[in-house]
Amino acid sequence: MNVTILVGSQWGDEGKGKIVDILSDRYDIVARYQGGANAGHTVIIGDKKFILHLIPSGILRENIICVIGNGVVIDPKALLDEIKILEDSGINIKGRLLISQNAHLIMPYHKILDSISESGSSKIGTTGRGIGPCYIDKFARKGIKIVDLLDKNILEEKIKCNLEEKNNILSKIYNHDELNVQEIIDEYLEFDKSIDQYIIDVPSYLNQAISDEKSILLEGAQGTMLDIDHGTYPFVTSSHPTSGGACTGTGIPPTKITSIIGIVKAYTTRVGLGPFPTELLGNEGEKLREEGAEYGATTGRPRRCGWFDAYLLNYSRQINGIERAAITKLDVLSYLDEIKICVGYEINGKKIKTFPSDLNQMFKAKPIYEAVPGWKEDISQAKYFDDLPNAAQDYLSFISQKSGFEISMISVGPRRDQTIEL
Ligand code: GDP
Ligand code: IMO
Ligand code: MG
């Protein structure tokens, strides 16, 4: 039995797409368990670049079945656009994509409410994909699910009921135009024609697959520090990117999980607002952004960049149960004379003993750094660990030891062949 969770260990964009693509070769099924089209997972194959938002990154290998679990929130338009892009590139989707009947639908009002909320004083720097408002409706037990697409009457009834409330909120609180009920019903009935064929009962399917000794890779979106409970709340997303979310988001019981791999960028980035203790501001941050091409795969926004934070990684390892890590983007650090690693935080001049659990502490946290020499040579062609310069090997040993995980894979470039396995 092999059911592996692949989790983003920092603030997202760790290079999950690339590693899922590499690993999916060894699995029968790849499943997404949370998030939505806020994700942007990049896979580069030859001279082609694919950015997956909703469809698991395993779709680029033809024998893999891809599953979208109940924990995901689905914007049908984004999904159909993505299917079209893949099909236009010659990738066969039919019979390979399965969608949970219990996944919730992103509705037009979710995107409007997301953007209204972002224009107010409680701005988070969201991706504007309607993610938060959709999960709000899910937890308020008002959401519309994929299964509702299958029954015209139920769909109409639910859209009417939701719009009664949403139109009140839009017009009376936000002075926004009301939405037309019939237009939305027609639009979603139209989506149903294309989406119907993919809908299944995901927990039954995946548990049967496990009984049949099929192997499953569970692809997390976002990252640990964006988790609604364990991240830097409120500067988080509205789901559980952490490994625990993989079970609730697919219906696979925890007893069936066999391993947990953390995807760990060799430095740190974050998009949007919120605390970031090791952030590099000014020229140093800009240089790292340029070297790492750190611009959002979904929104194109410049990512904030900073040093590797082993203290944060220790927390992430603990919350997720990470045993092995895939280190990505090591090549990006090749320009540095010296590399800093955060090994702890100080608050008001005092070293703290446990990772800050509240936002104010996190904002006050000052990193305690250790420094190691850089290697100053191109490592993007390295095929084996021994090909790496000593200083790069030492950096890896240092971060692995300080973060408490073993390294099983090292990525030295965006392409498939720029990967070292240990
Ligand atoms: P994800 O959301 O975790 O899948 O990550 P993104 O796709 O948003 O961002 C990672 C970016 O880094 C993408 O542009 C990848 O093509 C690129 N990338 C992945 N691994 C490496 C690597 O080892 N080195 C370099 N230079 N780029 C990488
Ligand atoms: P992948 O899967 C990085 C961030 C947003 C914002 C916060 C809330 O590509 O790693 P949301 O739209 O989810 O309500 O925004 O979360 N965010 C991400 N940051 N990578 C992502 O996904 C992200 N998805 C959301 O920038 O700070
Ligand atoms: Mg991304």
Side-chain angles (χ1 to χ4, degrees), residues 103-133:
H104 279 244
L105 284 165
I106 297 216
M107 305 299 293
Y109 43 83
H110 292 139
K111 289 188 250 183
I112 297 172
L113 289 167
D114 194 356
S115 98
I116 290 176
S117 167
E118 283 293 287
S119 61
S121 54
S122 52
K123 186 174 159 69
I124 304 290
T126 73
T127 58
R129 300 298 189 265
I131 305 295

Side-chain angles (χ1 to χ4, degrees), residues 12-14 16 38-42 297-298 303:
D13 302 329
E14 296 89 353
K16 299 177 288 295
N38 49 350
H41 296 179
T42 314
T298 297
R303 295 174 181 153

Side-chain angles (χ1 to χ4, degrees), residues 5-12 14 16 33-35 38 135 218-231 236-246 260 319-320:
I5 303 173
L6 182 144
V7 66
S9 310
Q10 293 143 315
W11 273 288
E14 296 89 353
K16 299 177 288 295
Y33 57 86
Q34 44 69 237
N38 49 350
Y135 280 114
L218 298 163
E219 174 179 357
Q222 288 81 53
T224 302
M225 301 312 293
L226 291 169
D227 185 280
I228 186 83
D229 278 305
H230 302 294
V236 291
T237 191
S238 300
S239 68
H240 292 293
T242 45
S243 57
I260 300 168
I319 295 289
N320 290 300

Side-chain angles (χ1 to χ4, degrees), residues 316-391:
S316 179
R317 174 184 53 76
Q318 194 173 41
I319 295 289
N320 290 300
I322 293 170
E323 298 142 334
R324 287 171 298 142
I327 307 293
T328 59
K329 305 194 87 161
L330 186 67
D331 54 300
V332 172
L333 300 180
S334 299
Y335 73 97
L336 289 157
D337 294 319
E338 183 187 77
I339 307 175
K340 286 189 184 162
I341 303 108
C342 167
V343 294
Y345 295 160
E346 265 178 11
I347 295 180
N348 299 330
K350 267 201 176 148
K351 186 171 175 181
I352 57 169
K353 292 204 171 72
T354 52
F355 194 80
S357 59
D358 88 283
L359 191 74
N360 291 334
Q361 298 288 95
M362 193 68 179
F363 269 121
K364 283 188 204 152
K366 298 267 172 287
I368 301 167
Y369 287 118
E370 290 194 23
V372 297
W375 45 91
K376 301 279 282 189
E377 75 183 82
D378 180 12
I379 57 166
S380 62
Q381 306 306 319
K383 296 277 174 277
Y384 303 98
F385 188 74
D386 287 345
D387 295 342
L388 293 172
N390 288 341

